[in-house]
Amino acid sequence: GQIAFVSYRDENWEIYLTSIDGSVLINLTNHSSDDYSPDLSPRGRWIAFVSYRDSNQEIYRMNPDGSGQTNLTNNEENDYFPLWSPDSRYIAFYSERYGDPSIFVMNADGSGVTRLASNVRDDYSPSWSPNSQRIAYVAGAGNNDVYVVYVDGHGQINLSSNAADDNSPSWSPDGQHIAFVSN
């Protein structure tokens, strides 16, 4: 029954939490640095977000009341766009650690960081399988293709090798199919 969102209402990008009816509004981050890109864990235990408080973009985790704000990535390169797995055990995110934007996965506590693909193409648009075991994503540098890979980085498969640009992968509820846009 809550929604996390970003607002500039205090002349700084902050993460707020509100009730569904808008009757309760709480500034969760209340920090002088920009905080944005919140993602509530499916079970509602945590909120992952991006903060610029360490002079670059880092992934943080906090409790839904704003307490316990912890830097999970703590890396000199930019880390951004956290996305919880359906079972709340993992967080997928983008990072520029190897020069090009790549998708990484880490445990909910920030340990076990794994790069999902090593290629010279930019990786983006991750989509978790319903069982949290695989991620579909887009790799592109001119011609985008949809790939699927296991959460530990093995078993990468190109699902859409063709001349069209393929984007926005989305899993079926049973995890048996992946839909994507091709144009």
Side-chain angles (χ1 to χ4, degrees):
Q2 298 176 320
I3 299 170
F5 67 97
V6 177
S7 177
Y8 195 75
R9 66 185 65 207
D10 295 327
E11 298 189 23
N12 180 27
W13 293 108
E14 298 285 1
I15 298 172
Y16 289 82
L17 193 68
T18 187
S19 56
I20 295 288
D21 65 5
S23 62
V24 177
L25 178 68
I26 304 166
N27 181 339
L28 297 177
T29 49
N30 200 19
H31 193 275
S32 60
S33 293
D34 288 340
D35 300 309
Y36 52 93
S37 196
D39 190 41
L40 282 157
S41 66
R43 296 184 181 143
R45 185 171 175 196
W46 297 298
I47 300 173
F49 66 100
V50 176
S51 182
Y52 212 92
R53 52 185 86 174
D54 296 311
S55 65
N56 72 325
Q57 298 176 84
E58 298 283 358
I59 307 291
Y60 277 72
R61 185 185 74 191
M62 66 179 156
N63 297 317
D65 64 0
S67 66
Q69 295 182 18
T70 305
N71 183 335
L72 297 180
T73 52
N74 202 18
N75 187 280
E76 62 187 34
E77 298 299 331
N78 290 321
D79 300 314
Y80 41 97
F81 299 123
L83 180 64
W84 286 98
S85 63
D87 64 6
S88 300
R89 291 181 53 209
Y90 307 105
I91 301 170
F93 64 98
Y94 298 96
S95 182
E96 298 170 356
R97 295 176 187 207
Y98 298 102
D100 61 329
S102 297
I103 297 172
F104 289 76
V105 172
M106 65 181 161
N107 296 321
D109 65 1
S111 67
V113 175
T114 302
R115 185 179 186 188
L116 292 187
S118 15
N119 56 55
V120 294
R121 303 172 80 183
D122 294 348
D123 302 326
Y124 58 93
S125 196
S127 176
W128 283 98
S129 65
N131 67 2
S132 302
Q133 296 301 307
R134 295 182 293 171
I135 293 179
Y137 68 95
V138 175
N143 178 22
N144 298 337
D145 287 323
V146 173
Y147 288 79
V148 66
V149 64
Y150 283 92
V151 71
D152 64 2
H154 84 277
Q156 178 178 298
I157 300 170
N158 182 334
L159 298 179
S160 68
S161 184
N162 62 64
D165 276 333
D166 303 315
N167 292 289
S168 306
S170 178
W171 289 84
S172 63
D174 64 5
Q176 298 300 309
H177 305 282
I178 299 171
F180 57 89
V181 176
S182 184
N183 53 347

